[in-house]
Amino acid sequence: MTTQNRRKQAIRLKDYQPTPFAIEHTDLLFELGNEVTDVTATLTLSKRPGAADDAIVDFVGDGLVLQAIEINGAALAETAYSATPDKLTIHHPPAGEFTVKIVTRLNPRANKKLMGLYRSGSAYCTQCEAEGFRRITYFYDRPDVLSTYTVRIEADLVEAPVLLSNGNQIESGPLAGADKFHGSGRHYAVWHDPFPKPSYLFALVAGDLACVEDSFTTQSGRKVVLRIFVEHGNEGKCDYAMDALKRSMRWDEERFGREYDLDIFMIVAVSDFNMGAMENKGLNVFNDKYVLTDPEAATDADYYGVERVIAHEYFHNWTGNRITCRDWFQLCLKEGLTVYRDQEFSADMRSAAVQRIGDVRSLLARQFPEDQGPLAHPVRPEVYEEIDNFYTATVYNKGAELVRMIDTILGRDGFRKGMDLYFERHDGEATTIEAFLSSFEDANDTDLSNFSHWYHQAGTPVVKIDEMHHEDGSRRLTISQRFSELPHIDGERPALTIPLAFGYVGPNGEDVAVVGSNGETDMLLLSDKAQGFRFDNVPQDARLSINRNFSAPIVLEQKQSPEDQVFIAERDSDPFNRWQAVQNLAMTSLKAANTAILTGQKPQPPLPLVAALASLLANDALDNSFKAQCVQLPQLQDVAEAVGTGFNPDAIAHAHAYIDAYVALSLEDDLAGLYQRFVKANDTATDATNAARRALKNAALRLLVATDKSEYAALAARQAMQADNMTDRMAALMALCRQGRTERAEPLVDMYERFDSNGLVMDKWLTLQAMTNSDETLSTVRALLHDPVFSMENPNRVRSLIGGFASNFQQFNRVDGAGYQFLTRQVGALDTHNPQIAARLLEGLRSWRKLEPGRQRLARLALEKLREQSGLSSNVADIVNRLIGSD
Ligand code: B3K
Ligand code: ZN
């Protein structure tokens, strides 16, 4: 292996040490200029109790140029410090409290990593989590150093009339005369944030931005000003975001008793952003994708995304900002908890069942494969090389599942008591998962030590259920737990506490009242590797429904006949398990079809699946949005994961096409009827009822197009051309593209012509082509790299085109390996300016080890070639090395 790439040293949780000095206050002056920005940081330091007498100040930097340094107002002798781009050491700091003044010079325009201070369009903005602040000044850039901030921003009045930072604005005005670099016509603003915060929550935005204003009165009667800043011309696209913000603020008061704390809350939408959004104290910065909703350009899914992300970032104000992480190993403390909170919010705003299905779908699609492959890591890892690579589905989504299990185990009231105690004990602190769990233990007088293993071990638990029916009417359940195998993890893993919500479903769908041998009525709490439960007097025709609402993030092994599954799908009082039963029926048929194809046999028709779907579609008591979820069968990638090691993408695609078409042809009349019934939903009303109709109509259309009948492809093409909303346009185009239908061509051109000036719509347009199942796709994607709407410097465009291609199961997994080569080449190119996004794209190869041998070899070759590229960033090097492993 080449050693030229920049691997970082591993950081270990066990080595955690507090800093010897605290930074009581941080005073920052930004003299903003496009290519020359001077930052003067004046830091008030004091030694922490217990720090060594001869402790030095050792700050980190990242690519910094030191211009000047003073201590207590006097310039420091050259021998008293040493400075490199990555480090500043003050050898003999004074005793007692003292100030350090550090001047650094930045070039925001040249910053393409989009970390630290950079330019997005004509605005200046910052991104500091996790380690971006060190690209602004030398600092203790770590989450356990909390400081109050005063920030003075100076800028050109015409270029940047709006100057923003965290907290409250305390001063502003024109600047007299010209400054040393930037000429005259400048002005300034001073912001003060009274809440001590870590550097990752610092933010600055300056530019010529439009502002939409509203207000919110908190439950205690304080009026909070709400402002959303966007590019001029986008003011009309903020209504939904503003409404979502107000609903989030109210919800957090009602559900968790959490009130907002500053006088102003601001959101800024920028178009160049590495992630979805960032929860900087009082000044959230957003990818504009999660703020702007243009009625012509936003899909129902976009509205949902805006609501969710606005809520998520707002909720961080308490879970993340007021209480933050002691170190980055604790990332799930804020992220898992905040995802759980945003999921609960969305469930309250929308259909709870559909929300849960959506959350589980994305857990299964993203987190389970991660947890069962070479990138698997615990929710709370113990070692990392590059923290940017740990903003993962495991930390976020499995982290949220762990919080949800605490809620399930303790019940809604017990959970709330634990949260209240957590806020009471740790407000204003940087803390740990242990402290979080102790709050629930102490508030509920319970012991979660067995549960806490969930945080420390990677891998998805597999729970096996054997149910014995006895003649006396009793049932005996034998339940065992084990872990999926992980090549890089060995050793014994302790048993976990696993809450399994359950019920016995009677013939009319009623829950049969049962009491288990230990008094269980609706939840089995596992804590050992194998356990038995006995239920007396269970009617012969009642069926077990277990892991209801996906109460634990596990793989369930349960022998169920197709009849039992159809029974559950039709009757269970738990809507999640009805959906799960349909998925199980589909997966059984898909796997069997895959095996048949590999062995040269004819696949069996999925008759029980068709029966279940027919019955669900005909049931008028069910929500349209729920039905839409049911007819959305497992995706190709899901099937590949279920087939497991050695999967052959061609066989899976073939099996999938067969099952899809069979279902579609069997239900053709029902689907066509539904389509016609809801075709009138082809309108611009964004409310839940209309959105649900559109979802069902479009799910029906997708299946109809899968019949391969030209009339349906023509219908989809018409919808794509004539739709007056983006949901319908996109759904019709996606149906055509996924089937590789030539009818996609005209509507794609039409979409480009109508929307080429709207970057967010062009993201969709790029994704559609990247997701197209056609032999031409790779060459189309290559050509699109040169289209004027594409830019390698814009993360949204990159994710849409290159990320979209990497999730195109058939074309990415081309038998010649050209898909893998394309991805790794693009990652290599992107890595030179945006390593974070580059590393993220490699997730497309997280399951490469499960591929059949031929493709596995080609994927490995592509990864090895990338690993040999000189000067690879630590982000990409870390992922590539973990993907390839040590063999
Ligand atoms: N906390 C940010 C994510 C930062 C990612 C840094 N690589 C957004 C969020 O999770 O709310
Ligand atoms: Zn978050």
Side-chain angles (χ1 to χ4, degrees):
M1 191 197 101
T2 171
T3 48
Q4 285 166 314
N5 56 43
R6 290 171 228 152
R7 287 189 76 167
K8 283 189 183 167
Q9 233 186 344
I11 317 272
R12 291 177 200 281
L13 171 60
K14 68 174 171 51
D15 296 337
Y16 172 80
Q17 291 281 346
T19 57
F21 296 89
I23 304 180
E24 310 288 349
H25 184 69
T26 299
D27 195 289
L28 298 171
L29 163 65
F30 285 84
E31 296 167 84
L32 287 181
N34 213 348
E35 282 163 13
V36 181
T37 288
D38 278 353
V39 181
T40 306
T42 308
L43 313 174
T44 310
L45 271 72
S46 62
K47 199 175 271 182
R48 291 191 201 271
D53 288 347
D54 59 351
I56 56 166
V57 172
D58 56 341
F59 286 159
V60 287
D62 179 1
L64 290 177
V65 185
L66 181 70
Q67 300 289 306
I69 178 162
E70 292 175 7
I71 287 200
N72 290 335
L76 210 52
E78 268 182 30
T79 50
Y81 70 94
S82 51
T84 67
D86 302 343
K87 208 167 159 60
L88 172 66
T89 310
I90 301 171
H91 303 306
H92 305 289
E97 192 175 278
F98 62 99
T99 60
V100 181
K101 187 171 173 180
I102 298 166
V103 183
T104 48
R105 177 162 295 175
L106 316 178
N107 179 346
R109 187 201 276 287
N111 181 355
K112 303 293 178 201
K113 279 191 181 173
L114 314 189
M115 289 295 285
L117 177 71
Y118 67 94
R119 303 214 51 158
S120 174
S122 62
Y124 296 84
C125 71
T126 55
Q127 171 57 34
C128 292
E129 187 178 3
E131 296 181 336
F133 194 75
R134 63 188 63 183
R135 293 167 58 77
I136 294 174
T137 190
Y138 295 99
F139 205 74
Y140 283 137
D141 188 19
R142 43 188 276 173
D144 60 343
V145 175
L146 309 187
S147 178
T148 52
Y149 281 68
T150 307
V151 180
R152 180 182 167 101
I153 311 168
E154 298 182 0
D156 186 273
L157 182 57
V158 175
E159 187 192 36
V162 173
L163 305 176
L164 309 174
S165 191
N166 317 83
N168 300 311
Q169 184 173 306
I170 52 175
E171 238 188 284
S172 66
L175 278 172
D179 91 346
K180 53 188 184 218
F181 305 112
H182 309 110
S184 55
R186 291 173 69 81
H187 72 141
Y188 78 100
V190 182
W191 290 79
H192 177 68
D193 184 359
F195 290 94
K197 64 169 179 287
S199 50
Y200 83 86
L201 290 174
F202 165 79
L204 173 152
V205 174
D208 184 7
L209 298 167
C211 173
V212 176
E213 183 164 322
D214 205 328
S215 70
F216 177 82
T217 304
T218 67
Q219 62 185 4
S220 69
R222 274 186 322 104
K223 190 166 164 192
V224 179
V225 175
L226 308 178
R227 291 198 181 127
I228 300 183
F229 294 89
V230 290
E231 277 173 20
H232 288 283
N234 282 340
E235 297 90 322
K237 302 179 190 169
C238 303
D239 295 354
Y240 190 77
M242 187 65 91
D243 182 57
L245 173 61
K246 289 193 281 184
R247 284 185 283 122
S248 308
M249 295 176 92
R250 187 63 72 215
W251 186 89
D252 214 14
E253 293 181 343
E254 288 169 358
R255 177 72 177 268
F256 286 106
R258 297 297 113 198
E259 197 173 306
Y260 186 63
D261 45 14
L262 288 161
D263 302 333
I264 181 165
F265 184 82
M266 296 172 285
I267 287 175
V268 182
V270 298
S271 44
D272 303 278
F273 207 59
N274 276 350
M275 56 218 77
M278 178 63 213
E279 69 263 23
N280 317 297
K281 181 76 188 186
L283 177 57
N284 287 188
V285 178
F286 270 64
N287 186 325
D288 56 4
K289 172 179 164 63
Y290 291 112
V291 174
L292 306 178
T293 47
D294 177 350
E296 267 219 305
T299 60
D300 293 328
D302 290 330
Y303 280 93
Y304 167 74
V306 168
E307 179 182 81
R308 179 176 62 81
V309 180
I310 294 265
H312 179 96
E313 305 309 331
Y314 174 73
F315 297 154
H316 267 315
N317 190 52
W318 274 96
T319 49
N321 301 3
R322 292 282 290 247
I323 306 182
T324 193
C325 304
R326 190 194 69 172
D327 50 69
W328 290 123
F329 297 100
Q330 320 295 332
L331 184 57
C332 63
L333 179 74
K334 73 179 181 80
E335 296 304 347
L337 177 55
T338 306
V339 170
Y340 164 79
R341 276 152 53 70
D342 83 54
Q343 291 176 346
E344 286 296 286
F345 168 75
S346 297
D348 282 352
M349 296 297 120
R350 293 155 182 264
S351 153
V354 171
Q355 174 64 28
R356 186 68 187 133
I357 291 168
D359 290 338
V360 174
R361 249 190 220 286
S362 71
L363 186 81
L364 301 183
R366 295 182 50 231
Q367 199 277 328
F368 274 36
E370 180 171 280
D371 221 357
Q372 293 163 31
L375 299 180
H377 56 274
V379 171
R380 198 193 55 191
E382 302 208 333
V383 56
Y384 64 78
E385 272 185 29
E386 178 51 74
I387 189 58
D388 287 338
N389 290 340
F390 278 82
Y391 287 75
T392 58
T394 297
V395 168
Y396 275 64
N397 302 75
K398 187 173 177 184
E401 292 300 315
L402 305 199
V403 176
R404 182 174 298 280
M405 281 193 284
I406 300 175
D407 185 349
T408 306
I409 292 168
L410 300 178
R412 180 61 59 88
D413 290 347
F415 183 77
R416 172 70 195 262
K417 274 197 234 154
M419 286 295 291
D420 287 350
L421 187 59
Y422 174 64
F423 291 126
E424 191 186 313
R425 278 185 179 168
H426 300 290
D427 186 14
E429 288 181 5
T431 193
T432 59
I433 281 297
E434 282 76 10
F436 177 67
L437 291 175
S438 297
S439 302
F440 291 98
E441 294 184 316
D442 296 346
N444 291 277
D445 197 15
T446 189
D447 178 6
L448 292 173
S449 48
N450 201 45
F451 176 81
S452 71
H453 299 314
W454 274 104
Y455 282 94
H456 311 308
Q457 32 196 43
T460 313
V462 180
V463 173
K464 183 163 187 281
I465 305 206
D466 283 311
E467 188 187 27
M468 296 287 292
H469 294 236
H470 293 289
E471 275 180 10
D472 61 1
S474 68
R475 307 260 182 124
R476 179 156 177 95
L477 302 184
T478 308
I479 308 188
S480 59
Q481 51 170 294
R482 63 175 200 277
F483 270 93
S484 49
E485 303 283 317
L486 288 169
H488 61 301
I489 293 177
D490 28 60
E492 186 67 359
R493 283 179 279 177
L496 298 167
T497 298
I498 301 180
L500 291 180
F502 80 101
Y504 273 100
V505 185
N508 299 316
E510 74 284 10
D511 267 359
V512 175
V514 291
V515 182
S517 34
N518 306 308
E520 298 90 352
T521 55
D522 56 7
M523 189 170 64
L524 304 177
L525 205 53
L526 311 186
S527 55
D528 292 330
K529 294 219 162 157
Q531 274 167 278
F533 300 88
R534 184 192 162 93
F535 295 92
D536 289 329
N537 302 323
V538 183
Q540 200 53 41
D541 50 5
R543 279 15 176 238
L544 176 66
S545 163
I546 197 153
N547 206 23
R548 281 183 159 175
N549 207 33
F550 211 68
S551 57
I554 53 162
V555 171
L556 195 62
E557 279 181 3
Q558 181 189 11
K559 277 213 183 78
Q560 268 184 320
S561 66
E563 294 72 32
D564 286 348
Q565 288 174 330
V566 174
F567 182 99
I568 296 285
E570 287 178 333
R571 296 175 175 79
D572 200 334
S573 63
D574 180 54
F576 178 85
N577 266 7
R578 294 179 84 160
W579 171 82
Q580 181 73 68
V582 176
Q583 298 296 302
N584 292 347
L585 283 164
M587 198 56 99
T588 308
S589 302
L590 285 158
K591 279 164 69 179
N594 176 63
T595 309
I597 286 158
L598 287 171
T599 51
Q601 286 159 32
K602 203 174 146 18
Q604 292 299 308
L607 300 178
L609 171 65
V610 170
L613 285 174
S615 147
L616 289 167
L617 287 178
N619 185 342
D620 285 334
L622 293 173
D623 275 1
N624 291 323
S625 55
F626 176 75
K627 290 185 191 178
Q629 289 293 334
C630 291
V631 290
Q632 204 182 310
L633 300 180
Q635 310 226 345
L636 288 151
Q637 193 61 54
D638 304 327
V639 186
E641 290 295 332
V643 167
T645 308
F647 76 82
N648 180 327
D650 298 329
I652 286 174
H654 192 157
H656 200 271
Y658 168 77
I659 299 291
D660 243 16
Y662 192 94
V663 168
L665 286 166
S666 310
L667 299 174
E668 187 175 353
D669 291 347
D670 310 74
L671 295 169
L674 276 174
Y675 184 83
Q676 285 313 326
R677 183 160 152 216
F678 295 127
V679 76
K680 283 273 171 289
N682 201 357
D683 59 25
T684 50
T686 55
D687 61 283
T689 310
N690 277 290
R693 287 180 183 153
R694 277 192 287 274
L696 184 53
K697 173 189 73 176
N698 288 324
L701 180 63
R702 194 195 69 74
L703 273 174
L704 290 168
V705 174
T707 59
D708 234 15
K709 292 192 182 175
S710 293
E711 63 198 88
Y712 296 123
L715 181 67
R718 260 201 315 283
Q719 175 171 316
M721 294 289 287
Q722 292 165 7
D724 52 7
N725 66 78
M726 192 54 79
T727 306
D728 285 338
R729 187 185 304 276
M730 276 300 286
L733 265 164
M734 195 50 101
L736 293 170
C737 291
R738 279 191 197 278
Q739 295 296 328
R741 301 286 315 200
T742 50
E743 289 86 343
R744 69 186 183 276
E746 199 187 345
L748 276 172
V749 171
D750 175 65
M751 186 173 180
Y752 188 87
E753 282 169 357
R754 282 176 201 249
F755 296 103
D756 68 342
S757 61
N758 184 330
L760 296 177
V761 181
M762 286 301 99
D763 286 338
K764 300 180 197 300
W765 182 80
L766 292 168
T767 301
L768 283 166
Q769 293 173 90
M771 297 293 287
T772 296
N773 181 26
S774 148
D775 291 346
E776 312 285 285
T777 295
L778 182 53
S779 45
T780 307
V781 169
R782 282 206 183 101
L784 286 169
L785 291 171
H786 306 287
D787 193 283
V789 301
F790 181 80
S791 159
M792 204 64 161
E793 288 182 5
N794 180 286
N796 286 2
R797 301 305 97 84
V798 169
R799 274 186 288 255
S800 301
L801 185 62
I802 304 171
F805 177 72
S807 50
N808 179 338
F809 185 79
Q810 284 137 295
Q811 298 309 316
F812 178 56
N813 288 309
R814 287 163 57 113
V815 71
D816 59 2
Y820 311 137
Q821 277 169 30
F822 172 77
L823 179 70
T824 50
R825 273 206 205 113
Q826 296 309 318
V827 166
L830 194 59
D831 193 40
T832 58
H833 66 273
N834 194 333
Q836 234 182 89
I837 301 292
R840 209 11 99 103
L841 286 177
L842 279 178
E843 273 184 16
L845 279 166
R846 72 183 155 214
S847 298
W848 74 275
R849 282 176 172 282
K850 292 188 186 160
L851 286 162
E852 51 83 20
R855 285 176 174 89
Q856 200 179 119
R857 192 179 57 80
L858 294 167
R860 174 190 288 276
L861 281 176
L863 282 167
E864 281 173 349
K865 186 139 191 245
L866 177 61
R867 183 158 69 170
E868 276 158 25
Q869 181 170 315
S870 69
L872 219 50
S873 69
S874 58
N875 302 60
V876 168
D878 172 36
I879 299 281
V880 175
N881 285 315
R882 282 194 280 145
L883 280 173
I884 298 179
S886 50
D887 58 8

PDB file of all heavy atoms in Angstrom, residues 129 277-279 312-313 316 319 331 334-336 338-339 342 391 396, ligand 2:
ATOM      1  N   GLU A 129     -18.772  22.749  12.079  1.00  0.00           N
ATOM      2  CA  GLU A 129     -18.811  21.374  12.579  1.00  0.00           C
ATOM      3  C   GLU A 129     -18.253  20.433  11.514  1.00  0.00           C
ATOM      4  O   GLU A 129     -18.647  20.546  10.352  1.00  0.00           O
ATOM      5  CB  GLU A 129     -20.239  20.949  12.925  1.00  0.00           C
ATOM      6  CG  GLU A 129     -20.255  19.594  13.610  1.00  0.00           C
ATOM      7  CD  GLU A 129     -21.651  19.123  14.024  1.00  0.00           C
ATOM      8  OE1 GLU A 129     -22.631  19.829  13.727  1.00  0.00           O
ATOM      9  OE2 GLU A 129     -21.720  18.049  14.609  1.00  0.00           O
ATOM     10  N   ALA A 277     -28.035  20.912   6.681  1.00  0.00           N
ATOM     11  CA  ALA A 277     -28.157  22.166   7.413  1.00  0.00           C
ATOM     12  C   ALA A 277     -27.257  22.094   8.631  1.00  0.00           C
ATOM     13  O   ALA A 277     -26.695  21.037   8.932  1.00  0.00           O
ATOM     14  CB  ALA A 277     -29.598  22.388   7.845  1.00  0.00           C
ATOM     15  N   MET A 278     -27.164  23.229   9.336  1.00  0.00           N
ATOM     16  CA  MET A 278     -26.265  23.281  10.491  1.00  0.00           C
ATOM     17  C   MET A 278     -26.886  24.135  11.582  1.00  0.00           C
ATOM     18  O   MET A 278     -27.346  25.245  11.334  1.00  0.00           O
ATOM     19  CB  MET A 278     -24.917  23.851  10.030  1.00  0.00           C
ATOM     20  CG  MET A 278     -23.909  24.005  11.135  1.00  0.00           C
ATOM     21  SD  MET A 278     -23.477  22.385  11.868  1.00  0.00           S
ATOM     22  CE  MET A 278     -23.189  22.889  13.553  1.00  0.00           C
ATOM     23  N   GLU A 279     -26.829  23.595  12.795  1.00  0.00           N
ATOM     24  CA  GLU A 279     -27.598  24.152  13.911  1.00  0.00           C
ATOM     25  C   GLU A 279     -26.897  25.252  14.690  1.00  0.00           C
ATOM     26  O   GLU A 279     -27.178  25.431  15.880  1.00  0.00           O
ATOM     27  CB  GLU A 279     -27.946  23.008  14.872  1.00  0.00           C
ATOM     28  CG  GLU A 279     -26.746  22.411  15.644  1.00  0.00           C
ATOM     29  CD  GLU A 279     -26.154  21.158  15.029  1.00  0.00           C
ATOM     30  OE1 GLU A 279     -26.323  20.941  13.813  1.00  0.00           O
ATOM     31  OE2 GLU A 279     -25.516  20.384  15.770  1.00  0.00           O
ATOM     32  N   HIS A 312     -35.413  19.550  12.871  1.00  0.00           N
ATOM     33  CA  HIS A 312     -34.200  18.912  13.397  1.00  0.00           C
ATOM     34  C   HIS A 312     -33.212  19.974  13.892  1.00  0.00           C
ATOM     35  O   HIS A 312     -32.730  19.904  15.026  1.00  0.00           O
ATOM     36  CB  HIS A 312     -33.564  18.046  12.309  1.00  0.00           C
ATOM     37  CG  HIS A 312     -32.307  17.362  12.726  1.00  0.00           C
ATOM     38  ND1 HIS A 312     -32.279  16.067  13.177  1.00  0.00           N
ATOM     39  CD2 HIS A 312     -31.029  17.801  12.791  1.00  0.00           C
ATOM     40  CE1 HIS A 312     -31.038  15.733  13.483  1.00  0.00           C
ATOM     41  NE2 HIS A 312     -30.248  16.773  13.255  1.00  0.00           N
ATOM     42  N   GLU A 313     -32.940  20.948  13.047  1.00  0.00           N
ATOM     43  CA  GLU A 313     -31.942  21.960  13.443  1.00  0.00           C
ATOM     44  C   GLU A 313     -32.458  22.784  14.610  1.00  0.00           C
ATOM     45  O   GLU A 313     -31.714  23.122  15.520  1.00  0.00           O
ATOM     46  CB  GLU A 313     -31.573  22.864  12.265  1.00  0.00           C
ATOM     47  CG  GLU A 313     -31.091  22.131  11.005  1.00  0.00           C
ATOM     48  CD  GLU A 313     -29.998  21.118  11.247  1.00  0.00           C
ATOM     49  OE1 GLU A 313     -29.207  21.280  12.189  1.00  0.00           O
ATOM     50  OE2 GLU A 313     -29.953  20.113  10.484  1.00  0.00           O
ATOM     51  N   HIS A 316     -32.053  20.996  17.876  1.00  0.00           N
ATOM     52  CA  HIS A 316     -30.670  20.975  18.373  1.00  0.00           C
ATOM     53  C   HIS A 316     -30.422  22.094  19.384  1.00  0.00           C
ATOM     54  O   HIS A 316     -29.474  22.012  20.155  1.00  0.00           O
ATOM     55  CB  HIS A 316     -29.686  21.158  17.214  1.00  0.00           C
ATOM     56  CG  HIS A 316     -29.188  19.874  16.609  1.00  0.00           C
ATOM     57  ND1 HIS A 316     -28.763  18.806  17.351  1.00  0.00           N
ATOM     58  CD2 HIS A 316     -29.014  19.508  15.308  1.00  0.00           C
ATOM     59  CE1 HIS A 316     -28.354  17.837  16.543  1.00  0.00           C
ATOM     60  NE2 HIS A 316     -28.506  18.233  15.296  1.00  0.00           N
ATOM     61  N   THR A 319     -30.942  19.984  22.359  1.00  0.00           N
ATOM     62  CA  THR A 319     -30.184  18.723  22.327  1.00  0.00           C
ATOM     63  C   THR A 319     -29.031  18.876  21.338  1.00  0.00           C
ATOM     64  O   THR A 319     -29.135  18.476  20.187  1.00  0.00           O
ATOM     65  CB  THR A 319     -31.107  17.543  21.958  1.00  0.00           C
ATOM     66  OG1 THR A 319     -31.865  17.901  20.784  1.00  0.00           O
ATOM     67  CG2 THR A 319     -32.074  17.241  23.067  1.00  0.00           C
ATOM     68  N   LEU A 331     -21.022  11.862  19.540  1.00  0.00           N
ATOM     69  CA  LEU A 331     -21.844  12.536  18.527  1.00  0.00           C
ATOM     70  C   LEU A 331     -23.322  12.096  18.567  1.00  0.00           C
ATOM     71  O   LEU A 331     -24.237  12.911  18.410  1.00  0.00           O
ATOM     72  CB  LEU A 331     -21.254  12.261  17.140  1.00  0.00           C
ATOM     73  CG  LEU A 331     -21.899  12.955  15.949  1.00  0.00           C
ATOM     74  CD1 LEU A 331     -21.913  14.461  16.115  1.00  0.00           C
ATOM     75  CD2 LEU A 331     -21.156  12.579  14.663  1.00  0.00           C
ATOM     76  N   LYS A 334     -26.097  14.017  20.586  1.00  0.00           N
ATOM     77  CA  LYS A 334     -26.930  15.076  20.016  1.00  0.00           C
ATOM     78  C   LYS A 334     -27.648  14.610  18.746  1.00  0.00           C
ATOM     79  O   LYS A 334     -28.787  14.998  18.529  1.00  0.00           O
ATOM     80  CB  LYS A 334     -26.125  16.363  19.777  1.00  0.00           C
ATOM     81  CG  LYS A 334     -25.136  16.341  18.621  1.00  0.00           C
ATOM     82  CD  LYS A 334     -24.448  17.704  18.506  1.00  0.00           C
ATOM     83  CE  LYS A 334     -23.460  17.798  17.362  1.00  0.00           C
ATOM     84  NZ  LYS A 334     -24.077  18.043  16.051  1.00  0.00           N
ATOM     85  N   GLU A 335     -26.982  13.804  17.928  1.00  0.00           N
ATOM     86  CA  GLU A 335     -27.605  13.469  16.639  1.00  0.00           C
ATOM     87  C   GLU A 335     -28.676  12.387  16.761  1.00  0.00           C
ATOM     88  O   GLU A 335     -29.770  12.539  16.228  1.00  0.00           O
ATOM     89  CB  GLU A 335     -26.544  13.086  15.604  1.00  0.00           C
ATOM     90  CG  GLU A 335     -25.591  14.228  15.241  1.00  0.00           C
ATOM     91  CD  GLU A 335     -26.295  15.495  14.742  1.00  0.00           C
ATOM     92  OE1 GLU A 335     -27.506  15.438  14.440  1.00  0.00           O
ATOM     93  OE2 GLU A 335     -25.634  16.552  14.665  1.00  0.00           O
ATOM     94  N   GLY A 336     -28.365  11.302  17.456  1.00  0.00           N
ATOM     95  CA  GLY A 336     -29.378  10.259  17.607  1.00  0.00           C
ATOM     96  C   GLY A 336     -30.606  10.817  18.315  1.00  0.00           C
ATOM     97  O   GLY A 336     -31.747  10.586  17.897  1.00  0.00           O
ATOM     98  N   THR A 338     -31.584  13.938  18.522  1.00  0.00           N
ATOM     99  CA  THR A 338     -32.317  14.950  17.748  1.00  0.00           C
ATOM    100  C   THR A 338     -33.050  14.319  16.571  1.00  0.00           C
ATOM    101  O   THR A 338     -34.157  14.747  16.227  1.00  0.00           O
ATOM    102  CB  THR A 338     -31.359  16.085  17.325  1.00  0.00           C
ATOM    103  OG1 THR A 338     -30.725  16.573  18.513  1.00  0.00           O
ATOM    104  CG2 THR A 338     -32.102  17.219  16.658  1.00  0.00           C
ATOM    105  N   VAL A 339     -32.493  13.276  15.976  1.00  0.00           N
ATOM    106  CA  VAL A 339     -33.244  12.570  14.926  1.00  0.00           C
ATOM    107  C   VAL A 339     -34.504  11.952  15.535  1.00  0.00           C
ATOM    108  O   VAL A 339     -35.603  12.061  14.974  1.00  0.00           O
ATOM    109  CB  VAL A 339     -32.382  11.482  14.235  1.00  0.00           C
ATOM    110  CG1 VAL A 339     -33.247  10.600  13.330  1.00  0.00           C
ATOM    111  CG2 VAL A 339     -31.262  12.127  13.429  1.00  0.00           C
ATOM    112  N   ASP A 342     -36.935  14.714  15.860  1.00  0.00           N
ATOM    113  CA  ASP A 342     -37.564  15.170  14.598  1.00  0.00           C
ATOM    114  C   ASP A 342     -38.520  14.099  14.050  1.00  0.00           C
ATOM    115  O   ASP A 342     -39.561  14.415  13.478  1.00  0.00           O
ATOM    116  CB  ASP A 342     -36.524  15.686  13.587  1.00  0.00           C
ATOM    117  CG  ASP A 342     -35.835  14.633  12.735  1.00  0.00           C
ATOM    118  OD1 ASP A 342     -36.517  13.843  12.091  1.00  0.00           O
ATOM    119  OD2 ASP A 342     -34.585  14.644  12.673  1.00  0.00           O
ATOM    120  N   TYR A 391     -20.368  10.911  10.567  1.00  0.00           N
ATOM    121  CA  TYR A 391     -21.737  11.441  10.502  1.00  0.00           C
ATOM    122  C   TYR A 391     -22.543  10.449   9.670  1.00  0.00           C
ATOM    123  O   TYR A 391     -22.879  10.695   8.522  1.00  0.00           O
ATOM    124  CB  TYR A 391     -21.730  12.856   9.914  1.00  0.00           C
ATOM    125  CG  TYR A 391     -21.181  13.846  10.913  1.00  0.00           C
ATOM    126  CD1 TYR A 391     -19.822  13.906  11.166  1.00  0.00           C
ATOM    127  CD2 TYR A 391     -22.035  14.668  11.633  1.00  0.00           C
ATOM    128  CE1 TYR A 391     -19.325  14.775  12.129  1.00  0.00           C
ATOM    129  CE2 TYR A 391     -21.544  15.541  12.589  1.00  0.00           C
ATOM    130  CZ  TYR A 391     -20.191  15.589  12.824  1.00  0.00           C
ATOM    131  OH  TYR A 391     -19.699  16.434  13.782  1.00  0.00           O
ATOM    132  N   TYR A 396     -26.626   8.527  13.376  1.00  0.00           N
ATOM    133  CA  TYR A 396     -27.881   9.270  13.316  1.00  0.00           C
ATOM    134  C   TYR A 396     -29.099   8.355  13.504  1.00  0.00           C
ATOM    135  O   TYR A 396     -29.914   8.559  14.390  1.00  0.00           O
ATOM    136  CB  TYR A 396     -28.015   9.986  11.966  1.00  0.00           C
ATOM    137  CG  TYR A 396     -27.328  11.333  11.905  1.00  0.00           C
ATOM    138  CD1 TYR A 396     -25.947  11.447  12.037  1.00  0.00           C
ATOM    139  CD2 TYR A 396     -28.038  12.497  11.697  1.00  0.00           C
ATOM    140  CE1 TYR A 396     -25.312  12.687  11.963  1.00  0.00           C
ATOM    141  CE2 TYR A 396     -27.428  13.744  11.628  1.00  0.00           C
ATOM    142  CZ  TYR A 396     -26.060  13.827  11.756  1.00  0.00           C
ATOM    143  OH  TYR A 396     -25.444  15.049  11.691  1.00  0.00           O
TER     144      TYR A 396
HETATM  145 ZN    ZN B   2     -28.304  16.982  13.667  1.00  0.00          ZN
END
